[in-house]
Amino acid sequence: MIEPLKVHPAPEPGRADAAALGREFDAAGLAHYTWGNGPHDRYGEHTHPYEKTLVCLEGSIVFHVPGQADLVLRPGDRLLLPPHTRHAATVGPQGVRCIEAHRPVAAPAPSSR
């Protein structure tokens, strides 16, 4: 059985330091960027071929993952989405700004015959 996804709450609720998170992702060798959306924007259901880490910087966003309760991110909260996880999202009433990092999936080893 696949472990349900969960939000990792902010160490200091309501706070997120984009520069510190960028340094953390740089140290881990992860490509990262910030993005934002306006109030109530929606992302339809989709997947990504890579592992995605999201940290909410401002506002809020709700992730909808089939088969489990909605996952709400507020400033400082973190969510790790494994590769190929189906999800959709709805931005909160004040909009949202996040920092996102990607970890590429290792290619399978070539078979030897």
Side-chain angles (χ1 to χ4, degrees):
M1 180 176 177
I2 296 176
E3 187 77 22
L5 301 179
K6 66 179 185 175
V7 172
H8 300 274
E12 295 181 52
R15 299 203 55 206
D17 182 338
L21 288 161
R23 289 189 297 274
E24 174 189 330
F25 294 144
D26 285 341
L30 301 177
H32 60 88
Y33 58 94
T34 59
W35 55 267
N37 286 98
H40 307 291
D41 280 351
R42 294 176 177 257
Y43 289 92
E45 191 171 284
H46 62 284
T47 65
H48 305 282
Y50 46 81
E51 179 183 276
K52 180 195 263 198
T53 299
L54 292 124
V55 181
C56 181
L57 299 171
E58 298 172 5
S60 63
I61 188 166
V62 179
F63 283 84
H64 315 288
V65 178
Q68 73 173 77
D70 285 347
L71 302 159
V72 180
L73 272 73
R74 293 182 178 86
D77 293 345
R78 185 181 293 233
L79 177 66
L80 176 81
L81 286 172
H84 311 291
T85 300
R86 286 185 319 158
H87 62 285
T90 304
V91 175
Q94 279 76 43
V96 72
R97 190 167 72 93
C98 291
I99 186 167
E100 177 174 318
H102 298 171
R103 182 180 309 279
V105 176
S111 61
S112 57
R113 291 196 219 200

